[in-house]
Amino acid sequence: MMKERELLIRFKEYKPEELTPEDKSLVNIAIDSASNAYAPYSQFRVGSAVLLSNGLVVKGNNQENAAYPSGLCAERVAMFYANANYPESSITAIAVVVVDSEGNVIEQNISPCGSCRQALAESEMRFKKPIKVLLASKKSVLIFNSIEDLLPLSFNQGDLGLSK
Ligand code: THU
C-alpha cells in the first residue's frame, strides 16, 4: 500500500544576544573571517567558522575566480582545510554569515548551497557525529542540530533509513 510519509525538521531561532558564549564566539569568528573573503565578482562576502572535536576553530571564507566554477564557498574552504590538516578530528559545529562592504552582518538569513550541504553530510557520515549548523543574520541565528536537517535523504550509497 502506498504510504504518505512526512519529514519534520526542527531548528531553533535565537536572537544574537541569546546565544551561549561558545556559539557567540563561533559566530563572531565567522564574522571576522568574512572580511577576508575574495568576492570581487559577487560582492557577497561569506564567512564560516568550523569548531573541531579537538577544540580548534578553523576559519573560512568564499574564494572566487574569474573562471566562476573554480571558486569555492566559505563552508567548504573551512571544512576541507580542517579535514586536510586535522584528519582525526570531526566537525562539531559550523557557523556561517554574510557581511556587507563595511563588515557588518547582513539582515537576511542565508543558508549553505546544495554542494556545501552534500560535503557537510559526507563529513557527518564519515565521522558519525552530527554537525551543528549556525546560520547567523543581524537579527537572528538559526541553529540546526545536524546537517541531515538541511539535507534530508542525502545521497550516501546506503539505506535511507525509512524502514523505521
Ligand atoms: N557562497 C558561499 O560562500 N556559501 C554559500 O553557502 C553560498 C554561496 C559564495 C559563493 C560565491 O562566491 C558567492 O557566495 C555568491 O554566490
Side-chain angles (χ1 to χ4, degrees):
M1 267 291 261
M2 187 277 274
K3 278 191 207 167
E4 191 167 275
R5 309 289 298 256
E6 276 186 345
L7 287 169
L8 175 67
I9 295 173
R10 288 184 191 279
F11 60 96
K12 296 198 168 99
E13 183 172 1
Y14 293 87
K15 294 199 179 76
E17 62 271 21
E18 292 174 331
L19 292 180
T20 63
E22 293 75 24
D23 287 350
K24 189 171 280 191
S25 158
L26 199 65
V27 168
N28 283 338
I29 293 170
I31 295 170
D32 188 45
S33 182
S35 310
N36 294 339
Y38 177 65
Y41 304 104
S42 72
Q43 304 297 330
F44 200 64
R45 295 172 191 82
V46 188
S48 65
V50 160
L51 172 65
L52 295 174
S53 56
N54 65 7
L56 290 178
V57 175
V58 167
K59 296 199 272 187
N61 40 57
N62 52 328
Q63 296 294 321
E64 297 185 349
N65 192 276
Y68 287 10
S70 302
L72 199 61
C73 296
E75 296 89 326
R76 276 176 290 163
V77 166
M79 187 180 51
F80 289 159
Y81 179 91
N83 288 157
N85 289 282
Y86 307 102
E88 309 297 329
S89 298
S90 61
I91 295 175
T92 305
I94 182 168
V96 188
V97 303
V98 176
V99 301
D100 62 21
S101 52
E102 268 94 58
N104 298 312
V105 181
I106 65 168
E107 303 263 343
Q108 296 84 2
N109 278 109
I110 57 106
S111 185
C113 77
S115 296
C116 286
R117 293 176 199 212
Q118 182 69 32
L120 285 160
E122 179 89 21
S123 184
E124 226 176 50
M125 281 179 262
R126 176 179 171 192
F127 291 100
K128 298 187 175 53
K129 290 270 160 51
I131 300 175
K132 180 170 160 181
V133 183
L134 298 90
L135 306 177
S137 72
K138 194 172 180 179
K139 297 203 175 109
S140 69
V141 180
L142 310 182
I143 300 193
F144 298 79
N145 288 329
S146 160
I147 193 70
E148 247 184 70
D149 294 328
L150 286 172
L151 189 66
L153 309 183
S154 65
F155 175 70
N156 67 7
Q157 299 189 353
D159 184 64
L160 285 178
L162 285 179
S163 50
K164 292 175 251 157

